[in-house]
Amino acid sequence: MKIIDGRELAKTIKSEIADEVKKYTSTGKRRPHLAAILVGEDPASRVYVRNKTRSCDKVGFDSTLIRKGADIQQDELLEAVEQLNNDSNIDGFIVQLPLPAHLNEKEITLAIDAEKDVDGFHPENFGKMAQGMDTFLPATPFGILTMLDRYNINVSGKNCVVLGRSNIVGTPISILLSRKANPGNATVTLCHSRTQNLVNYTKAADIIVIALGKANFLKKEMIKEGAVVIDVGINRIDAPELEKGYKLVGDADFDDLAEKCSYITPVPGGVGPMTVTSLLMNTLQAYKKNISE
Ligand code: GUN
């Protein structure tokens, strides 16, 4: 079994991004600029957003974090989005999800200028992605494709099983893996909560992408020998033996699967760091377009 080291790969890609940024700034151009809107105090979202802004520093981007209280109303949040849409110093921005339940996430996503939607969540960008047009790919699926590519894992013609059909991960990665592209050209099955006899699918899979949010769900009896396991889950489970009282585990039971699979992404240190890197790559793409206009 080989570990797909997302942390190490993210480091390599970040240094490539930093080199590219230097090429532009050394000729007097401004730095790329990513903004993030964070609503409320959700601890996981705070960590994710902090990772995103810290990573901006590392690659030479400017970053702006806009924090709003959990009680913000829809029109105020729409106004904050509009301000970023109109700010020519911002190349791209994200609204960290999930939003508190009283807010309409779909309306917020639609309000983001598609050219600044570096998350790739706007239906215009999602539609372009589905049709193989040039656009911002959603960060987590983009990170997964980059891992498969850089580790030379052959996807073409393989049976890929995606577990989970979210708009952020499951649905877009199933589209991307089946596209006529590289990496792509896989035969993809998208499984979800209503799938019957799930194990029949996972056992036939050469590549499994799991994004369910269920700690240690995937076990060795469920996969075939030599499968590739891409674990998108980040779950907190109790660990009274640790000082902090919890630990992070994926949707795949790493220790149980380790001997049977050919490649696996660890949690933490697998897909997570690649998601941030993909956001930076999208922001760099937006920046390059802006400075050439
Ligand atoms: N919440 C979980 N993943 C993501 C992501 O990639 N982008 C945003 N904006 N929110 C998220």
Side-chain angles (χ1 to χ4, degrees), residues 45 48 52 94-98 119 121 139-140 168 275:
S45 291
Y48 296 149
K52 291 172 186 176
I94 64 154
V95 178
Q96 186 65 28
L97 303 178
D119 257 334
F121 291 171
T140 302
I168 294 180
T275 296

Side-chain angles (χ1 to χ4, degrees), residues 125-145:
N125 290 326
F126 199 96
K128 284 182 172 174
M129 181 261 314
Q131 295 197 9
M133 295 164 74
D134 199 24
T135 186
F136 302 119
L137 299 183
T140 302
F142 188 10
I144 294 170
L145 292 187

